[in-house]
Amino acid sequence: MCSPSSLRRRRLMLAMAGATVLVAACGKKPEGAAQPQEIESATACVLDGMLLADYPGPKAQIFYAGEARPQWFCDTVEMFHALLRPEQVRPVRAVFVQDMARADWERPRGHWFDATTGVYVAGSGRHGSMGPTLASFRAESDASAFIARHGGRLLRYAEVTPELADLSGGAMHDSRM
């Protein structure tokens, strides 16, 4: 028997596949591959309007089908929250996060990679824009080194659950509000 989170992920994958088939059936050109964009001084989080450049920790961007620009998230927890909600059925073209082994934690810029190929650290002593975060890494060895310094546990993309992407109480951790 499948767990509820496993069923949600399967529904999301099926919705994405169905949308791709519908687009092809309508005779429309498929969208080109999305390329990560860079944070600018006015880049704001889609959920709360916070300016990404003003906060530490890993950031994320989601490209939805039919949209040329990404929706930005000031934290990876917010990204996972958006993707793992049961009502999320919009087809996703690409999801990018930052490699925190390469990006500066306090002022992260660049070092974007496909979020689905990464590893994440939950429960570390490092905080992102809204408190506890899921630190993103391209390489497992970098995530393991981060765990040795800051604690936490390693997770693959598919292992992140809705419970780990809980946004309740995030504002309590924001010291800049």
Side-chain angles (χ1 to χ4, degrees):
M1 187 164 151
C2 294
S3 70
S5 61
S6 166
L7 288 172
R8 279 191 283 276
R9 280 191 205 97
R10 285 186 181 168
R11 279 187 285 211
L12 176 61
M13 295 303 289
L14 289 172
M16 289 170 52
T20 303
V21 170
L22 286 175
V23 168
C26 292
K28 294 181 182 176
K29 286 187 200 176
E31 294 177 85
Q35 296 298 315
Q37 296 184 12
E38 192 49 66
I39 297 168
E40 297 175 1
S41 61
T43 303
C45 178
V46 68
L47 296 182
D48 53 28
M50 292 171 54
L51 296 177
L52 274 64
D54 290 349
Y55 294 90
K59 310 295 182 242
Q61 49 187 298
I62 298 176
F63 284 85
Y64 289 103
E67 296 180 15
R69 296 176 186 243
Q71 289 197 358
W72 292 95
F73 297 86
C74 58
D75 196 290
T76 53
V77 172
E78 290 180 335
M79 173 204 71
F80 278 110
H81 176 78
L83 292 172
L84 295 175
R85 290 185 320 209
E87 66 273 16
Q88 164 34 25
V89 295
R90 291 188 295 174
V92 174
R93 288 194 305 141
V95 181
F96 297 103
V97 293
Q98 293 175 298
D99 183 355
M100 296 314 291
R102 310 284 176 268
D104 176 351
W105 190 275
E106 294 305 316
R107 301 193 66 73
R109 299 291 186 280
H111 306 286
W112 298 99
F113 71 95
D114 178 349
T116 65
T117 65
V119 291
Y120 299 85
V121 176
S124 81
R126 297 297 308 257
H127 283 194
S129 65
M130 298 299 282
T133 191
L134 296 166
S136 48
F137 297 91
R138 186 182 304 233
E140 187 172 334
S141 58
D142 291 329
S144 295
F146 180 87
I147 291 170
R149 285 190 307 275
H150 305 288
R153 63 186 166 106
L154 188 129
L155 299 164
R156 306 240 175 264
Y157 180 84
E159 294 174 321
V160 176
T161 64
E163 294 75 28
L164 289 171
D166 181 16
L167 298 181
S168 63
M172 294 185 310
H173 299 287
D174 185 2
S175 61
R176 299 177 196 203
M177 288 182 85

